[in-house]
Amino acid sequence: MIWLYSLVVATTYITAAASTTIADIQGSAFLSPLVGQTVQNVIGVVTAKASNGFYISGDRVKDPRVSNGLFVFSTPSLSLVSVGDKISLGGKVAEFRSATSPDNLFTTELDSPTNITIISSNNTLTPLVLGKDRSPPTEQLSALDTGHDGFLSVPNNRSRVSIVNATLQPNKFGMDFWESLEGQLVTIPKPIATDFQNSFGEFWVYGDWKITGKNSRGGISITFGPGGVPDGNPETVIIGSPLDKTKNPKVAVGVGLSDITGVVAYHSDHNHHPDRNIPPTKIQPKAKDACSLTFGDYNVENMTPKSTHIPTVASQISTSLLAPDLMFIQEIQDNSGATDDGTVIANLTLSTLVAAIAKVNNVTYDFIDIAPVDGQDGGEPGGNIRQAYLYRPEKLSLVPGSPAGGSLDSVEVVPAAKKGKPTLNFNPGRIDPTNAAWNASRKPLVAAWRTAKGDELFTINLHLTSKGGSSTTQGDARPPVNLPVAQRTSQVEAVSTFVKSILAQDSKANIIVAGDFNEFVQTRSVAASLEAILTDIDEAANIRDVERYTYVFDQSSQQLDHVFISNAIKHRKLEFEHIHVNNWSPTLAARVSDHDPSVGQIHVC
């Protein structure tokens, strides 16, 4: 990511020419052509002061690849200069990157400044107005993101920006554009936040310029761009902590701010908030249609029996999702929560949630889950998270005749008896739980259901391994590091193999695969095996691509939670929605989960 602030790194002195411009130091590539050299008579106007140095701006040049801004690292020199001073100085050109952030881009700076001379004071500062003087590209992040899926291509981490050090192409690639403005004073007119603030108070915005992928909330969704290449949303920039030690405003997706002017430090007030009224689903249950079935999917984020967000989740399921007939739930913790005491069952967690729902709308769900082996399914240590189903017994019941599987029992399809339907050897059961693909990860929860009318349905509830250890989309590694993408691919392949075993017995089987995939469909290599046999319900329901999101992170609204359906369901009438009860929240604190739920209605006959 490009921040407009930096620290210092030691390098070797090499004497350079007697007079050097800021443009000479910055050059037209990612790294300075003068790195390690000592320069003299560098002239610029002080545009901002930080706690460990200050920024200067020189004369603008015609070459859009070359920045005229520069950070000067020096705490002792801070008292010698003021904002608006035009100064001359010398120093050593360096490229800095913190040892604790090895995937960040390097920052060009001038270290150990010498001979600081004030030429004049109270000079007028004229920032570059983005959207007017310069505008960012809207689709690609880096020329190094080669592959069918662009910045999401697999394998990733095949090259590094700092090693290739390519000449910038700021009109084509977003990382090049922001690098070409390194250290400059800019104005972002009419900024809109694309996410909540992070733990440092930093947040991502776009300004009053052309963007792609804008959704109805004002965020920017990950979509496919020209040629079917995923759009990396490069037209956004992160706003760092203010240099004047004030605090950033608290933001949310779609929140508008007054113009931001500065290198990093700025003062802003909220201009507007999006509508805080989050409407419930438009999908209405059809009580008189025995073939219709409503379902929901929701990652409830580390729910324990004592979780304070249970009443809110219960209200959301009841009033926002309208109490679907079947709920796919992820991140249910055991009865002792994060206390690592060997407890694995979660009946208390689930019964507490069920009771809270009943309190809201008098609907009493039954539930099923399979307890994992203690400490083997990942997630918060001690929590033993797992998937579960909530179901309305007046609408659905498990197909009888098979025992419930245990933690290590592998579910398999049992061929149909004469004139019957295929069944499961365990119901519910888990897919191939000893397969290495599921190491330290949740095993899929499979169930076979029968409606009150007698129609049957197979469901697979997923929570694939997390993206922990992945890099920022705008970091040094290209394509960005996506961990552990190989494991997620193997997990999807295992699920696909199981789905094929159902379809081999009944090509017209009703099948839903839903849950937290921890991956984008734009990373096509991961979902390829599943998409070959099932259909993304967003596609089947004709959901606009910019409205396909259940999660917000950094610059993008993105979809980690997916639903795939069999052809039997696809070819009947269906409806589907993502309900943004969390990611349309007015503040980060108001969210009860980092995921949004989804809800749909299908026909099983």
Side-chain angles (χ1 to χ4, degrees), residues 404-435:
S407 304
L408 300 178
D409 292 326
S410 183
V411 66
E412 296 178 359
V413 178
V414 177
K418 188 176 182 180
K419 295 184 179 180
K421 295 285 187 179
T423 56
L424 303 174
N425 63 333
F426 296 108
N427 191 24
R430 308 216 295 175
I431 293 177
D432 201 7
T434 59
N435 187 328

Side-chain angles (χ1 to χ4, degrees), residues 576-590:
F576 189 67
E577 283 186 285
H578 302 293
I579 309 299
H580 303 296
V581 292
N582 292 309
N583 290 311
W584 282 13
S585 295
T587 65
L588 180 61

Side-chain angles (χ1 to χ4, degrees), residues 125-139:
L125 303 179
T126 305
L128 191 78
V129 179
L130 300 181
K132 178 183 177 182
D133 300 323
R134 296 274 304 275
S135 295
T138 61
E139 293 159 4

Side-chain angles (χ1 to χ4, degrees), residues 289-338:
D289 185 350
C291 288
S292 71
L293 190 74
T294 57
F295 71 93
D297 174 57
Y298 198 0
N299 181 323
V300 295
E301 192 170 0
N302 289 319
M303 181 172 285
T304 77
K306 298 180 180 179
S307 291
T308 58
H309 67 300
I310 285 180
T312 304
V313 170
S315 177
Q316 292 170 344
I317 291 173
S318 301
T319 61
S320 296
L321 306 187
L322 302 184
D325 301 322
L326 176 65
M327 284 294 304
F328 293 69
I329 301 289
Q330 300 90 43
E331 288 203 21
I332 292 292
Q333 290 198 359
D334 63 40
N335 290 343
S336 64

Side-chain angles (χ1 to χ4, degrees), residues 53 104 121 133 161 166 186 251 281 293 324 346 361 364 386 442 458:
N104 281 354
S121 297
D133 300 323
V161 170
V186 301
V251 298
T281 178
L293 190 74
N361 64 359
T364 300
R386 85 288 308 275
R442 282 67 56 191
F458 291 97

Side-chain angles (χ1 to χ4, degrees), residues 21 27 33 48 58 61 70 95 163 189 214 226 242 261 266 366 375 411 495 545 564 578 605:
T21 67
V61 295
L70 183 66
E95 293 285 351
I163 293 175
K214 184 177 180 179
T261 298
Y266 66 91
D366 283 351
V411 66
V495 172
D545 57 355
F564 289 88
H578 302 293
C605 58

